[in-house]
């Protein structure tokens, strides 16, 4: 396996920090021991935990107003894989890349080689019927899988079938469908007919799914359509997964809900009825869906993981959610943002593992609201950084990934090798 960042740079940074880390880890271990928690068992779980990087996330995003390109942005999927390899090498938390077709279209053999050279695998495939590809026959201006015209729907279905075919050769095991279909004016679209057409289309895609694959459908409240959206919320998404069958699951993108919606409760419902497929992690403040995971409301991220750990520990049948980041970086180096976001997701998982579930249940049964919520808070307040850093050290990563990355000069190096790119995928789904 080929490391992109020189091993001696990572080793030098770790040597500087290892002693302090071991002291902090031992102190936290003692503290957790008093709470009857085995720190090494938590560490093992964290070492095995991964979240996928979206290929489009390593380029600078942009808004509908402007895009301000960064230095040394990836020019194609092979540059993107190299950037993803840096994130994985330093964090050891992102072993897979989630591809987007057609943005990442390339010879599958070369793709596979490029990824395995860096020890990376492929996560869910993402189709794109929310923008028109070059030379495509029918436009998606008025929709894709739910379009009024059967020819346009067929084209959108065929694109999804192609994504499955590409994914098969790459070793992917899932297809994620998000569509921008909807309307901007009351009366523009008949809600029921549009949804019926969507279901018809997606049934054809589902029928082509290999036996060991899963289909994830992703809901989003609005944007690009601003009056109505065909797959607008988790209720509609649940209906889709239910209509399609056992291989169909709902994907929850944290930024795709109205502000203040209780997302952890949606997660619980989907888990309870066996339809939680996975996540696109990010954060948001208003109606946006692109800020760095854990940057605005880390407590909410923790509460989501609290539900996931609850499900994991109660050994719910078929419970195996996919974890992916989906965010867009406008003012930071995408590699740094993605490294820290992956760590934020890990942190929420580690904190959720610390919840005393027996105590919590007892407080719930006794209607002790105050102590129940304190049980969550005491897990959330624990600084688990030594566990995360130790997991990185043990698996060959960097104790401080951003410091190692900056010391490596990687961005300066690729800036001189990669001519500036004007456009690129913007992390908009
Ligand atoms: Mn998404």
């Amino acid at each position: 396996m080929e490391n992109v960042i020189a091993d001696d740079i990572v080793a030098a940074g770790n040597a500087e920090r290892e002693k302090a880390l071991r002291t902090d880890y031992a102190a936290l271990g003692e503290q957790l021991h008093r709470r009857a928690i085995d720190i090494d068992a938590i560490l093992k779980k964290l070492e095995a935990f991964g979240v996928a990087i979206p290929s489009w996330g390593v380029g600078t995003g942009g808004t509908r107003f402007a895009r301000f390109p960064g230095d040394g942005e990836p020019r194609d999927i092979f540059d993107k894989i190299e950037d993803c390899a840096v994130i994985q090498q330093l964090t050891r938390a992102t072993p897979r890349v989630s591809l987007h077709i057609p943005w990442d279209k390339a010879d599958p053999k070369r793709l596979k080689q490029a990824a395995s050279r860096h020890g990376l695998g492929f996560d869910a495939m993402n189709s794109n019927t929310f923008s028109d590809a070059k030379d495509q026959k029918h436009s998606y201006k008025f929709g894709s899988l739910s379009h009024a015209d059967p020819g346009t729907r067929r084209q959108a279905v065929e694109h999804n079938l192609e994504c499955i075919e590409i994914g098969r050769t790459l070793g992917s095991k899932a297809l994620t469908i998000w569509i921008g279909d909807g309307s901007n004016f009351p009366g523009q679209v008949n809600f029921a007919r549009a949804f019926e057409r969507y279901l018809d289309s997606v049934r054809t895609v589902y029928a082509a799914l290999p036996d060991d694959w899963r289909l994830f459908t992703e809901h989003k409240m609005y944007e690009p359509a601003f009056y109505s959206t065909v797959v607008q919320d988790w209720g509609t998404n649940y209906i889709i997964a239910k209509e399609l069958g056992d291989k169909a699951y709902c994907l929850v993108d944290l930024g795709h809900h109205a502000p203040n919606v209780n997302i952890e409760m949606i997660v619980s419902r989907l888990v309870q009825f066996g339809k939680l497929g996975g996540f696109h992690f990010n954060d948001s403040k208003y109606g946006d869906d692109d800020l760095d995971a854990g940057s605005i409301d880390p407590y909410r991220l923790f509460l989501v993981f609290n539900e996931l750990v609850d499900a994991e520990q109660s050994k719910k049948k078929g419970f195996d959610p996919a974890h992916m980041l989906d965010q867009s970086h406008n003012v930071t180096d995408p590699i740094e943002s993605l490294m820290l976001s992956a760590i934020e997701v890990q942190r929420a998982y580690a904190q959720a593992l610390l919840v005393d579930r027996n105590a919590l249940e007892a407080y719930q049964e006794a209607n002790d609201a105050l102590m129940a919520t304190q049980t969550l808070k005491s897990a959330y307040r624990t600084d688990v950084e030594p566990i995360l850093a130790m997991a990185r050290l043990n698996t060959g990563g960097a104790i401080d990934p951003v410091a190692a990355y900056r010391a490596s000069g990687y961005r300066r190096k690729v800036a001189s090798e990669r001519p500036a790119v004007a456009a690129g995928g913007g992390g908009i789904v």
Side-chain angles (χ1 to χ4, degrees), residues 18 26 33 36 40 85 88 95 98 106 121 147 149 169 184 200 236 255 282 296 352 355 361 366 369 403 424:
E18 188 173 338
H33 182 72
D40 293 325
Q88 163 65 357
S98 195
H147 199 284
D149 170 53
T169 61
N184 275 4
D200 269 356
T236 295
N282 51 48
I296 304 292
V355 172
E361 194 178 335

Side-chain angles (χ1 to χ4, degrees), residues 218 251 253 256 280 282 326 429:
E218 180 178 359
L251 187 135
D253 183 312
H256 287 188
H280 278 174
N282 51 48
D326 183 8
V429 296

Side-chain angles (χ1 to χ4, degrees), residues 232-247:
Q232 90 286 14
D233 66 12
W234 75 275
T236 295
N237 205 351
Y238 180 76
I239 293 168
I240 295 164
K242 203 70 185 153
E243 285 284 315
L244 291 179
D246 291 346
K247 291 183 286 183

Side-chain angles (χ1 to χ4, degrees), residues 221-235:
M221 182 178 55
Y222 75 104
E223 199 202 21
F226 286 104
Y227 167 66
S228 74
T229 291
V230 174
V231 185
Q232 90 286 14
D233 66 12
W234 75 275

Side-chain angles (χ1 to χ4, degrees), residues 25 43 51 109 120 227 235 242-243 255 306 333 394 411:
Y25 185 83
L43 177 68
V51 55
K109 253 198 217 119
L120 293 169
Y227 167 66
K242 203 70 185 153
E243 285 284 315
N306 178 50
D333 181 324
N394 286 353
R411 185 58 70 188

Side-chain angles (χ1 to χ4, degrees), residues 72-80 82 414 417-421 423:
E73 283 197 53
R75 295 158 299 183
D76 56 24
I77 181 58
F78 297 101
D79 287 349
K80 290 178 191 172
E82 193 189 18
V414 292
E417 290 167 1
R418 302 172 181 172
V421 281

